Amino acid sequence: MIATARTLLVTGGSRGIGAAVSRLAGQRGYRVAVNYVTNRPAAEAVVADIQTAGGDAFAIAGDVGVERDVLAMFQAVDDRFGRLDALVNNAGVVDRMARLDEISADRLERMFRINITGAFLCAREAVKRMSTKHGGRGGAIVNLSSAAARLGSANWYVDYAASKGAIDTMTKGLALEVAAEGIRVNGVRPGIIDTDIHASGGEPGRVAAVRDSLPMKREGTAEEVARGILWLLSDEASYTTGTTLDITGGR
Ligand code: NAP
């Protein structure tokens, strides 16, 4: 039973945390735009799950680090849903483990373009549609940060950690810019979550390797992160803005 016709765009909604957010949002009555960059079958599978459960969703290709893709993605949401109520800035990448003195300029450019510029561009397009200053009806944005922003990720990827530090700062600053325009902006800092991201950085065994060092002696699931994100998007969090929630099992 669809309780509301609120619409949500999830960047990187095809796999991992974004897929869990998309599915849970579908269950909660959001109409969901599921963005992906290359893995169309994964995005279509998420859409099919939402539709099978009686929800409304569609998949949309686009690299958040490419401005024309971001513009096309939001235009597609306008065309399909006619409104945007929520954005989850989830798309993000890691890279191989490296010390800072081994990191190339090309690597930095890719990391910061996707993780920082991508989140900024999507937030900009969301604000243009949601802000009461622009004729919108308000909305909510959740940005995916990481515990790495606090911990620094020494010898893993300081560049990734720093990209998430930028997200924490953007969350605070943007929240203050649009607080009186009906938009809440919050962040989530996941800890070690069992998704493909670790393998994509060349470390498929990372979760198992660090498990015993974690406070709860286990990793988190994408669904556990998704529940926090859905709460921040919801009216239950109506007085929560400009903050970033740790979902790290205490790490
Ligand atoms: P994941 O399993 O690797 O999935 C990444 C998702 O992002 C996929 O849907 C992928 O699309 C998409 N994506 C990648 N680059 C993109 C781009 N340039 N434009 C649009 N979409 C893009 O990642 P995850 O673990 O779920 O992580 C999601 C977010 O949580 C990221 O921001 C990550 O930094 C953050 N995070 C994760 C952890 C963790 O332990 N997993 C911890 C802290 C923070 P395709 O399917 O098309 O490739």
Side-chain angles (χ1 to χ4, degrees), residues 122-164:
C122 291
R124 182 190 74 193
E125 292 307 307
V127 168
K128 283 185 190 170
R129 287 158 176 80
M130 295 173 179
S131 169
T132 54
K133 185 178 158 220
H134 296 298
R137 61 180 102 199
I141 297 172
V142 173
N143 297 320
L144 267 290
S145 174
S146 170
R150 281 191 287 100
L151 302 171
S153 294
N155 301 307
W156 281 21
Y157 26 56
V158 172
D159 52 347
Y160 171 79
S163 75
K164 296 302 188 178

Side-chain angles (χ1 to χ4, degrees), residues 11-19 35-40 42-43 62-65 89-94 110 113-115 144-148 160 164 188-198 200 207 222:
T11 67
S14 45
R15 291 185 291 120
I17 294 167
N35 162 248
Y36 66 98
V37 63
T38 55
N39 198 333
R40 184 174 186 90
D63 183 337
V64 296
N89 253 328
N90 167 79
V93 293
V94 295
R110 169 181 174 270
R113 180 169 46 79
I114 296 172
N115 289 6
L144 267 290
S145 174
S146 170
Y160 171 79
K164 296 302 188 178
V188 163
R189 281 189 215 99
I192 299 286
I193 310 300
D194 189 15
T195 72
D196 298 340
I197 202 169
H198 311 288
S200 74
V207 173

Side-chain angles (χ1 to χ4, degrees), residues 19-167:
V21 169
S22 297
R23 288 190 177 97
L24 187 58
Q27 289 168 21
R28 301 226 176 140
Y30 286 88
R31 306 169 77 194
V32 189
V34 180
N35 162 248
Y36 66 98
V37 63
T38 55
N39 198 333
R40 184 174 186 90
E44 295 288 5
V46 173
V47 167
D49 285 348
I50 294 169
Q51 291 175 338
T52 300
D56 184 12
F58 74 107
I60 177 167
D63 183 337
V64 296
V66 175
E67 185 176 26
R68 66 175 177 280
D69 283 15
V70 172
L71 295 175
M73 182 162 67
F74 278 81
Q75 184 62 52
V77 173
D78 292 343
D79 293 346
R80 172 79 180 232
F81 292 152
R83 58 186 276 180
L84 181 68
D85 300 291
L87 166 69
V88 177
N89 253 328
N90 167 79
V93 293
V94 295
D95 211 315
R96 301 266 152 180
M97 287 176 72
R99 284 167 48 100
L100 190 147
D101 55 12
E102 300 163 346
I103 292 177
S104 69
D106 283 350
R107 167 172 163 152
L108 289 176
E109 189 280 326
R110 169 181 174 270
M111 177 81 70
F112 295 163
R113 180 169 46 79
I114 296 172
N115 289 6
I116 305 175
T117 304
F120 270 74
L121 292 174
C122 291
R124 182 190 74 193
E125 292 307 307
V127 168
K128 283 185 190 170
R129 287 158 176 80
M130 295 173 179
S131 169
T132 54
K133 185 178 158 220
H134 296 298
R137 61 180 102 199
I141 297 172
V142 173
N143 297 320
L144 267 290
S145 174
S146 170
R150 281 191 287 100
L151 302 171
S153 294
N155 301 307
W156 281 21
Y157 26 56
V158 172
D159 52 347
Y160 171 79
S163 75
K164 296 302 188 178
I167 291 302

